[in-house]
Amino acid sequence: MILDITDIGHGGVGIARHEGRVVFVRGAIPDERVEAELTSSRSRYATAVVREVVQASPERVTHPWPEGVAGVTGAADFGHITLAGQRALKERALLGNLRRIGGQELLETALGLGLSVGAVDDTDGWGSRTRFDVVKLERGVGMYREGTKELVPITSMPLALPELERLIFDPAWDREIAPGTRVHVVGPASGEDVVVADRVYTAPGREGESHIWERATTERDVFDYRVSASGFWQVHARAPHTLLRAVMKAAGVQPGESVLELFSGAGVFTVPLAKAVGPTGRLRAIEGSQRAVADAKANLAGMPWASVRMARIDERTVREVSADVVVADPPRTGLGRKTAAALAKSPARIVLVSCDPAAMARDVAELVAGGRTVESMAAFDIFPHTHHVETVVSI
């Protein structure tokens, strides 16, 4: 099909129309004309992927990683767009989701607060990831083709730190890791880089420790964290520092206050929040992963006024919140309508960290519907060359 791309949609897809139906096009940029191949078709919409650009956007560049393009692995699905163009599209998608899900008033609130997508460093965005996942093949490694279970061999990983790229493409791994094994490659803040498969390695044939050390800083403090080698940590080298500073500013925690943290992970926000409230305050953290809870407990050692427990987080968890501040960093699915609505009834200041524009818009809309007022909104490009964007909202 020859399609004219008119807008950008959720998930970074271009939007076009063909014979009365909406077509969501991977690899397209608004204002382009493209030849696209149909990938699925339903009664009201279809999906497609760009095969040839007929009329290119001025923001289009040559993608430096053919294996990462939309329609192949999609690991760098915005890599064909200039960095400035990527951020403009992410901002457009953020605002579009706020309008579509939250309504015109919420959109105007965001515009009034100057919502934009900010860079977290001055690099070109490549070589910034401190971790990534691949699957071991008979020879080398691969990633899944978008929307399938087909493994595509890859020969490079330009999103990652160069030393991680060199580590994982060592052919000696063919003798060490069984085909089909999911492999997690990590470059911690300090110590040796590791490859996590059936065990933790620092090199082929050399085992490493089960935990690594990460770091996040504010303008005044440096925090070091023990994290399971296979556990969650932000992927961009600058993301922990950027998000920590944004959360602490938005939370405005004072000594003696009480804080409830939801989806606390290994404690990247928990430890600084606990230090901020001090011995006269109280911090309670809740997390759904047993492994992350163990890490957070280790990182909170020496602060008896702070506690963390494992529990399912839903509307029942927050129904009777007793805290001055609530910080929530849910997974991509967000808080959910019921949990957000229940949290809106709390008198606490709320800081919401989101990695999905649609989930963020839905959660913020529920909080506003419950009587809250948005105080600040910030967005950060911690996933360059992909459609993903992180937001921090105080409400």
Side-chain angles (χ1 to χ4, degrees):
M1 300 179 290
I2 301 296
L3 299 173
D4 291 317
I5 310 301
T6 58
D7 205 350
I8 191 78
H10 181 57
V13 295
I15 298 176
R17 287 191 172 273
H18 184 260
E19 297 180 351
R21 281 192 306 173
V22 174
V23 185
F24 299 113
V25 189
R26 298 283 285 149
I29 307 173
D31 302 321
E32 288 190 326
R33 174 169 287 182
V34 301
E35 181 180 319
E37 179 182 342
L38 195 70
T39 54
S40 72
S41 180
R42 300 189 180 183
S43 59
R44 297 182 61 186
Y45 69 91
T47 63
V49 63
V50 171
R51 290 304 181 211
E52 185 177 339
V53 179
V54 178
Q55 182 178 321
S57 162
E59 300 298 338
R60 182 173 284 273
V61 296
T62 301
H63 202 301
W65 185 30
E67 298 156 350
V69 302
V72 186
T73 68
D77 64 339
F78 267 21
H80 61 287
I81 311 171
T82 66
L83 265 182
Q86 292 178 35
R87 289 167 187 154
L89 288 181
K90 292 179 186 187
E91 181 180 322
R92 187 167 168 177
L94 275 173
L95 295 173
N97 276 283
L98 287 168
R99 179 193 56 76
R100 177 174 59 85
I101 298 171
Q104 186 65 25
E105 187 174 345
L106 187 54
L107 170 63
E108 290 176 1
T109 296
L111 292 172
L113 291 169
L115 178 63
S116 63
V117 178
V120 297
D121 60 24
D122 58 1
T123 72
D124 65 2
W126 297 103
S128 61
R129 289 200 177 192
T130 63
R131 56 208 68 216
F132 60 89
D133 292 337
V134 290
V135 178
K136 189 70 187 72
L137 305 178
E138 289 283 352
R139 291 184 180 276
V141 297
M143 299 178 73
Y144 288 104
R145 186 178 297 276
E146 283 189 316
T148 76
K149 294 184 179 180
E150 176 193 352
L151 282 168
V152 177
I154 63 170
T155 57
S156 63
M157 177 57 74
L159 284 172
L161 299 175
E163 54 267 32
L164 296 185
E165 195 176 26
R166 289 192 294 269
L167 175 62
I168 195 56
F169 290 108
D170 185 335
W173 291 115
D174 292 345
R175 302 189 300 270
E176 200 72 43
I177 302 174
T181 303
R182 178 177 175 271
V183 181
H184 187 54
V185 187
V186 182
S190 61
E192 293 184 286
D193 299 332
V194 298
V195 170
V196 185
D198 56 321
R199 63 197 74 178
V200 180
Y201 302 88
T202 55
R206 191 170 75 213
E207 292 192 30
E209 299 294 328
S210 61
H211 288 86
I212 56 175
W213 286 93
E214 294 290 1
R215 173 170 288 182
T217 64
T218 63
E219 288 80 358
R220 296 184 304 173
D221 297 308
V222 176
F223 299 95
D224 290 307
Y225 304 83
R226 190 200 81 164
V227 181
S228 297
S230 57
F232 174 81
W233 192 257
Q234 292 290 343
V235 300
H236 193 289
R238 290 296 308 170
H241 318 288
T242 300
L243 295 179
L244 176 57
R245 295 175 189 195
V247 166
M248 296 302 290
K249 179 180 179 181
V253 174
Q254 300 299 313
E257 288 191 317
S258 61
V259 176
L260 172 66
E261 187 184 4
L262 305 173
F263 309 97
S264 53
V268 63
F269 305 136
T270 320
V271 175
L273 289 167
K275 180 178 179 181
V277 301
T280 60
R282 184 186 181 195
L283 182 138
R284 292 172 295 149
I286 305 175
E287 164 60 40
S289 163
Q290 186 174 6
R291 178 176 56 198
V293 167
D295 287 339
K297 285 182 176 179
N299 292 323
L300 288 169
M303 291 188 279
W305 60 91
S307 64
V308 59
R309 65 184 176 93
M310 188 179 79
R312 176 184 173 86
I313 300 169
D314 56 24
E315 65 272 20
R316 292 180 292 274
T317 311
V318 303
R319 190 163 288 154
E320 296 182 2
V321 170
S322 176
D324 298 303
V325 181
V326 174
V327 174
D329 184 9
R332 195 168 300 283
T333 52
L335 292 172
R337 293 187 185 280
K338 291 182 179 180
T339 303
L343 192 57
K345 298 174 183 177
S346 164
R349 301 191 300 277
I350 299 170
V351 179
L352 176 64
V353 184
S354 304
C355 59
D356 182 273
M360 179 274 291
R362 180 205 61 214
D363 291 344
V364 171
E366 285 292 336
L367 290 164
V368 169
R372 312 294 303 212
T373 300
V374 179
E375 302 293 340
S376 67
M377 303 183 82
F380 303 99
D381 190 21
I382 64 173
F383 307 100
H385 305 299
T386 79
H387 69 270
H388 301 293
V389 62
E390 194 92 1
T391 57
V392 177
V393 180
S394 63
I395 187 168

